[in-house]
Amino acid sequence: MRSMRRGIKEMDLILVRFCDAELEAMDPAALDAYERLLEENDQQIYAWITRVDPVPETHAGLIARIRAGLDADPIR
């Protein structure tokens, strides 16, 4: 639910889609990493996903997975 209604519609679309594809298969460590990502500001997460700002190492793997999902099947 925290992936929806984030504040900006772009992040709702991106994160809900990521959750639909990945959440069920995530292990506890990956879920913890995702929870930490959700604590970040929407605008900052969006800037990382769109490569406007460099991604901090703590979120690099997860942001790469989110980007990969978008690259494989872009939101239209």
Side-chain angles (χ1 to χ4, degrees):
M1 194 60 147
R2 288 186 59 206
S3 298
M4 299 169 59
R5 300 181 189 110
R6 297 273 311 162
I8 61 172
K9 189 63 173 176
E10 293 85 351
M11 290 311 306
D12 294 349
L13 295 171
I14 291 167
L15 294 178
V16 166
R17 198 168 157 164
F18 175 74
C19 284
D20 287 346
E22 303 275 337
L23 200 63
E24 192 172 302
M26 287 179 150
D27 63 22
L31 288 171
D32 288 344
Y34 187 64
E35 284 288 329
R36 286 190 298 276
L37 179 68
L38 293 179
E39 292 173 2
E40 300 286 351
N41 178 290
D42 269 4
Q43 287 80 9
Q44 185 60 70
I45 298 170
Y46 189 74
W48 294 332
I49 290 170
T50 58
R51 295 176 172 88
V52 170
D53 289 344
V55 182
E57 188 61 36
T58 56
H59 298 307
L62 193 50
I63 294 294
R65 287 174 62 191
I66 294 169
R67 284 178 183 159
L70 291 173
D71 290 344
D73 188 17
I75 296 171
R76 301 185 199 285

